[in-house]
């Protein structure tokens, strides 16, 4: 037994001696790749890394076959594992992934999802129109459609001057449009989360929630139109509303895409169809989140600093034009 162990040790030592220089060289290249990244290595180094990695895997296979000592096996397994990550693992850094998402992934996913986006905007528009017409038919609908905490005393009983005052006032308190904006943002954020997450349930919750969100907005807008303040409220809402309401429609489109995959999986299994649709749906959800953050910034600064109605329209719809340009023009270069 002792003779056998001695023979194994001698064979292992000879095996190591014949190849150890290449392993050391590979170890140095792995350290270099781990510290600086493969993309910063020159061609010869990258070529040697790949070549020595293949040789090391061959050595590992031989070592396992002839049962060399465990220390040598452990060393080779660790070295080849590290080299494998350097050669085959994605080399793109976080900044590169974010840049690729913004320049290619997100706009392409938006374009591929245009039917769902159209349906999302249609649901919101129908809700606004329905709420608007219901109020004009009977102002009592305002109290049905508008949440009490959102109304904040603004309703059919309020005077025109009081409504105008809160549109152009510098209020930051809990009773003016400041409260309305804060509530609207948190409310719309919740709606965006729900319409995306619940869309997988046969699309119905996403459609109904988006429609409902339009109802209260339509009734609120009709109240101001009835007092001759439609353009004034439109300018105030435009600053952040164009971005914020569009974000809800984008989230709704993501939910509808998931729900459609469940309802109509086609040639795929439902799980496979859901996984396939989820690639774009998740990107839409991230886009909606980015838009909501941008809307919060626009609302925080624009609402207080900009009092001119025309400028409010320019800022709000100008932001909308920039979003549209991103979605339609982004990622159209060579794939």
């Amino acid at each position: 037994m002792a003779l056998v162990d001695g023979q194994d040790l001698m064979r292992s030592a000879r095996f190591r001696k014949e190849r150890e220089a290449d392993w050391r060289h590979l170890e140095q290249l792995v350290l270099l790749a781990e510290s600086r990244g493969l993309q910063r290595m020159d061609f010869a180094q990258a070529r040697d890394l790949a070549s020595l990695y293949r040789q090391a895997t061959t050595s590992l296979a031989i070592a396992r076959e002839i049962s060399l000592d465990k220390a040598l096996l452990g060393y080779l397994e660790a070295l080849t594992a590290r080299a494998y990550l350097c050669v085959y693992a994605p080399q793109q850094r976080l900044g590169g992934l974010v840049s690729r998402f913004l320049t290619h992934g997100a706009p392409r996913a938006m374009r591929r999802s245009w039917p769902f986006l159209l349906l999302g905007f249609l649901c919101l528009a129908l809700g606004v129109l329905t709420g608007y017409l219901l109020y004009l038919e009977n102002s009592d609908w305002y109290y049905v459609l508008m949440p009490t905490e959102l109304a904040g005393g603004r309703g059919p009983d309020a005077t025109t001057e009081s409504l105008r005052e809160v549109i152009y006032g510098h209020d930051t308190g809990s009773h003016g449009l400041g409260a309305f904006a804060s509530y609207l943002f948190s409310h719309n954020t919740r709606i965006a989360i729900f319409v995306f997450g619940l869309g997988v349930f046969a699309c119905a919750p996403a459609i109904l929630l988006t429609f409902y969100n339009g109802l209260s907005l339509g009734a609120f807008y009709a109240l101001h139109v009835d007092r001759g303040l439609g353009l004034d409220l439109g300018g105030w809402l435009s600053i952040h509303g164009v971005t914020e309401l569009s974000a809800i429609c984008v989230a709704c489109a993501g939910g509808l895409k998931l729900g459609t995959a469940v309802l109509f999986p086609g040639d795929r299994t439902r799980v496979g169809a859901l996984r396939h649709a989820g690639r774009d749906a998740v990107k839409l959800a991230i886009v909606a989140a980015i838009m909501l953050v941008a809307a919060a910034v626009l609302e925080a600064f624009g609402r207080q600093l900009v009092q001119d109605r025309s400028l409010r329209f320019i800022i709000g719809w100008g932001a909308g034009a920039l979003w549209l340009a991103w979605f339609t023009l982004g990622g159209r270069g060579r794939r």
Side-chain angles (χ1 to χ4, degrees):
M1 186 67 179
L3 180 60
V4 173
D5 290 341
Q7 290 177 345
D8 286 346
L9 289 175
M10 291 179 60
R11 186 172 52 185
S12 177
R14 188 167 58 250
F15 183 84
R16 176 192 288 268
K17 184 178 180 181
E18 292 172 351
R19 297 167 174 80
E20 191 167 22
D22 289 340
W23 299 343
R24 296 298 181 194
H25 188 196
L26 175 60
E27 193 171 0
Q28 292 174 356
L29 292 174
V30 168
L31 282 172
L32 187 63
E34 289 174 341
S35 60
R36 299 174 52 188
L38 189 63
Q39 65 275 15
R40 293 190 178 182
M41 297 173 67
D42 59 36
F43 173 76
Q45 291 173 325
R47 179 199 59 199
D48 291 345
L49 174 63
S51 175
L52 292 172
Y53 161 70
R54 288 192 293 271
Q55 293 178 24
T57 55
T58 303
S59 299
L60 177 60
I62 296 173
R64 285 171 173 167
E65 186 68 24
I66 61 179
S67 301
L68 295 176
D69 66 272
K70 292 184 178 178
L72 179 62
L73 288 173
Y75 169 77
L76 285 176
E77 287 173 350
L79 180 60
T80 53
R82 291 170 60 197
Y84 173 84
L85 292 176
C86 294
V87 174
Y88 293 108
Q91 298 297 317
Q92 201 165 31
R93 297 176 184 275
L94 179 60
L97 292 174
V98 172
S99 176
R100 183 174 176 78
F101 173 81
L102 295 177
T103 57
H104 294 80
R108 286 175 179 171
M110 292 288 287
R111 290 197 291 274
R112 285 193 294 266
S113 306
W114 71 265
F116 303 97
L117 287 166
L118 185 63
L119 187 57
F121 278 98
L122 183 62
C123 292
L124 183 68
L126 286 177
V128 172
L129 180 62
T130 303
Y132 182 88
L133 294 178
L134 286 174
Y135 176 88
L136 294 183
E137 181 184 355
N138 187 338
S139 59
D140 288 343
W141 276 105
Y142 183 88
Y143 301 105
V144 177
L145 302 177
M146 179 63 68
T148 304
E149 60 272 27
L150 179 58
R154 293 176 300 279
D157 298 331
T159 65
T160 300
E161 286 308 312
S162 66
L163 293 175
R164 186 193 304 275
E165 184 179 347
V166 291
I167 290 177
Y168 292 104
H170 294 276
D171 65 286
T172 57
S174 58
H175 301 293
L177 283 186
F180 176 81
S182 299
Y183 178 85
L184 191 62
F185 176 75
S186 60
H187 171 77
N188 288 340
T189 300
R190 288 197 302 271
I191 291 292
I193 294 172
F194 285 144
V195 297
F196 176 76
L198 298 179
V200 72
F201 298 107
C203 301
I207 293 175
L208 293 176
L209 280 172
T210 307
F211 180 81
Y212 163 75
N213 198 52
L215 285 176
S216 56
L217 183 61
F220 190 72
Y221 193 72
L223 166 67
H224 288 76
V225 170
D226 191 48
R227 304 301 178 82
L229 298 172
L231 286 176
D232 301 277
L233 183 68
W236 184 87
L237 284 174
S238 292
I239 288 184
H240 63 282
V242 172
T243 297
E244 194 169 303
L245 296 174
S246 297
I248 294 177
C249 297
V250 172
C252 178
L256 293 178
K257 192 148 192 170
L258 294 175
T260 304
V262 174
L263 289 175
F264 309 105
D267 296 333
R268 297 184 173 90
T269 63
R270 279 193 165 77
V271 173
L274 194 60
R275 185 184 300 115
H276 179 74
R279 297 171 185 169
D280 278 349
V282 169
K283 291 175 183 173
L284 296 187
I286 296 174
V287 168
I290 293 173
M291 295 179 74
L292 285 172
V293 172
V297 174
L298 287 170
E299 188 272 334
F301 293 98
R303 182 175 60 83
Q304 293 297 328
L305 298 177
V306 181
Q307 293 292 307
D308 181 74
R309 187 178 70 187
S310 299
L311 189 55
R312 286 176 169 178
F313 274 110
I314 291 173
I315 293 174
W317 291 98
L322 291 177
W323 292 116
L324 185 62
W326 177 32
F327 301 145
T328 56
L329 302 178
R332 288 193 178 276
R334 187 173 60 183
R335 292 170 184 259

